[in-house]
Amino acid sequence: MARAPMSRAKRAVWYVILFIPFFVAIWVPLFNRVEPSLFGIPFFYWFQFLWIVVAAVVTGLAYVAKV
């Protein structure tokens, strides 16, 4: 069964949502610190790994939405 095409406004919203993980990953001053650590892992590392998971989830949701 074919689905109706997504409107331009909804597609634009998904593009902005997809851009957020990219923007956070390249904005180094946001996570360039050691504290707070999580289980002994400095913030710099665990924050980046967290955004890998967030980016994968956002990409999966955009795929399911057929953007």
Side-chain angles (χ1 to χ4, degrees):
M1 176 177 269
R3 294 173 67 181
M6 188 176 289
S7 71
R8 291 187 95 148
K10 286 183 181 179
R11 191 173 300 221
V13 169
W14 273 109
Y15 288 150
V16 169
I17 292 171
L18 285 167
F19 181 73
I20 290 171
F22 171 75
F23 180 72
V24 169
I26 65 170
W27 190 25
V28 177
L30 177 66
F31 54 89
N32 188 17
R33 57 185 166 197
V34 176
E35 294 296 328
S37 61
L38 181 67
F39 305 114
I41 302 171
F43 181 76
F44 182 80
Y45 294 113
W46 69 258
F47 186 75
Q48 291 180 43
F49 282 118
L50 173 72
W51 278 96
I52 290 171
V53 174
V54 170
V57 169
V58 168
T59 304
L61 290 173
Y63 177 76
V64 169
K66 303 281 187 203
V67 175

